[in-house]
Amino acid sequence: MNPVLRLILMLIVPVLAGGDLSSGVAEPQRARVAGRVELLNSKVKRNGRVDASGVVVWLEPLDESSARGPRTRQKIIQTGKRFIPHVLAVERGTEVDFPNLDPFFHNVFSLYDGKRFDLGLYASGESRPVLFNRAGVSFIFCNIHPQMSAIVVTLETPYFAVTDQQGSFAISEVPEGRYQLKVWHERTSDQELQAQSRVVRVSGSSCDPGAIRLSEAGYVSRPHQNKHGEPYDNERNKPAYRRP
């Protein structure tokens, strides 16, 4: 057969058979899932308005498992005797750094659900990492300063977001399909959170999962214990400060 004719047939036959001349499989369309969480009966305010930040919203694929890519290293800083951010959501397998930016020692630990760890005492300018390799909610404290607290929510999906002060959230690059939407908030009961779970069908370029309303009725803040399971004793637990 003429070489030119053979080349023409190689190009025409796949088209007639309904084939695709591209070498790869077409990527599914990806959407932006965005919405707002409204907090009811909340006593936590900032600038006179309800602070709706720190609510974790995520999507668990129902049709197929989520694609796992490289994890982006995250950070929770210690400054002014505070953890910033207070709530962090990560995909399982993510490493989080805990740098100490205060001019004195800190001792970061978590002995509750999720990832259990104790970073020990470390000084200003130092940082220590934690690999969050177990799904769950990790409540994090400082063994020296009882007012310090943070939360890391470790998820099995890459599709998640944390609300801002207005309660807004956005999850980008979500492939088309069906998902179970779930939420977590530290001042809302498990029953209330489960009631807000729903199936969401993602298609097109954007998706609004509908109203998400969480009540904080009945929430009572309780003091936590130190890493030894005992009440805080400031005189015993306070090490000598070291200025940078």
Side-chain angles (χ1 to χ4, degrees):
M1 180 182 296
N2 187 296
V4 176
L5 180 60
R6 180 181 299 175
L7 178 60
I8 293 174
L9 290 175
M10 290 176 62
L11 294 174
I12 293 178
V13 170
V15 175
L16 294 177
D20 187 354
L21 293 179
S22 62
S23 57
V25 178
E27 287 289 331
Q29 186 170 355
R30 294 178 180 267
R32 181 176 184 267
V33 179
R36 183 173 177 271
V37 175
E38 181 181 356
L39 295 184
L40 309 176
N41 307 302
S42 178
K43 298 180 181 179
V44 179
K45 292 182 170 55
R46 186 188 301 178
N47 299 325
R49 297 183 177 182
V50 171
D51 184 359
S53 63
V55 180
V56 182
V57 183
W58 70 96
L59 301 170
E60 296 181 352
L62 295 176
D63 297 329
E64 58 184 27
S65 60
S66 57
R68 293 195 173 280
R71 312 298 191 272
T72 302
R73 198 180 186 101
Q74 301 294 328
K75 181 185 298 184
I76 295 180
I77 67 173
Q78 302 157 79
T79 181
K81 296 183 181 179
R82 294 177 58 203
F83 288 113
I84 300 176
H86 175 63
V87 177
L88 177 68
V90 300
E91 187 179 0
R92 183 174 59 84
T94 299
E95 198 162 27
V96 178
D97 292 309
F98 289 85
N100 180 4
L101 304 187
D102 276 327
F104 36 78
F105 290 93
H106 284 303
N107 182 173
V108 183
F109 75 95
S110 178
L111 300 178
Y112 301 87
D113 295 338
K115 176 72 174 183
R116 298 169 64 92
F117 62 89
D118 179 2
L119 298 185
L121 198 65
Y122 59 104
S124 174
E126 297 181 0
S127 180
R128 296 185 180 177
V130 175
L131 177 63
F132 286 85
N133 54 5
R134 176 185 174 186
V137 181
S138 301
F139 294 90
I140 299 165
F141 304 103
C142 174
N143 197 53
I144 305 167
H145 308 101
Q147 71 271 37
M148 294 178 63
S149 67
I151 300 164
V152 175
V153 181
T154 307
L155 304 167
E156 295 282 7
T157 172
Y159 310 119
F160 57 83
V162 181
T163 58
D164 61 17
Q165 185 179 347
Q166 288 72 42
S168 300
F169 69 90
I171 309 173
S172 302
E173 297 295 313
V174 181
E176 291 185 335
R178 294 183 312 124
Y179 296 83
Q180 189 74 36
L181 179 145
K182 295 184 178 182
V183 294
W184 184 90
H185 180 44
E186 64 179 311
R187 300 189 298 274
T188 300
S189 68
D190 291 340
Q191 293 79 8
E192 184 86 10
L193 295 173
Q194 292 171 4
Q196 291 299 317
S197 180
R198 67 197 68 171
V199 175
V200 173
R201 183 176 294 277
V202 176
S203 62
S205 60
S206 63
C207 173
D208 184 345
I212 302 175
R213 296 185 176 91
L214 301 176
S215 175
E216 295 184 6
Y219 171 77
V220 178
S221 178
R222 295 181 175 84
H224 62 276
Q225 296 179 320
N226 65 18
K227 68 179 184 180
H228 305 292
E230 302 172 351
Y232 277 75
D233 182 343
N234 289 336
E235 293 304 316
R236 185 179 66 183
N237 287 319
K238 186 188 299 180
Y241 286 177
R242 188 180 85 180
R243 296 290 175 180

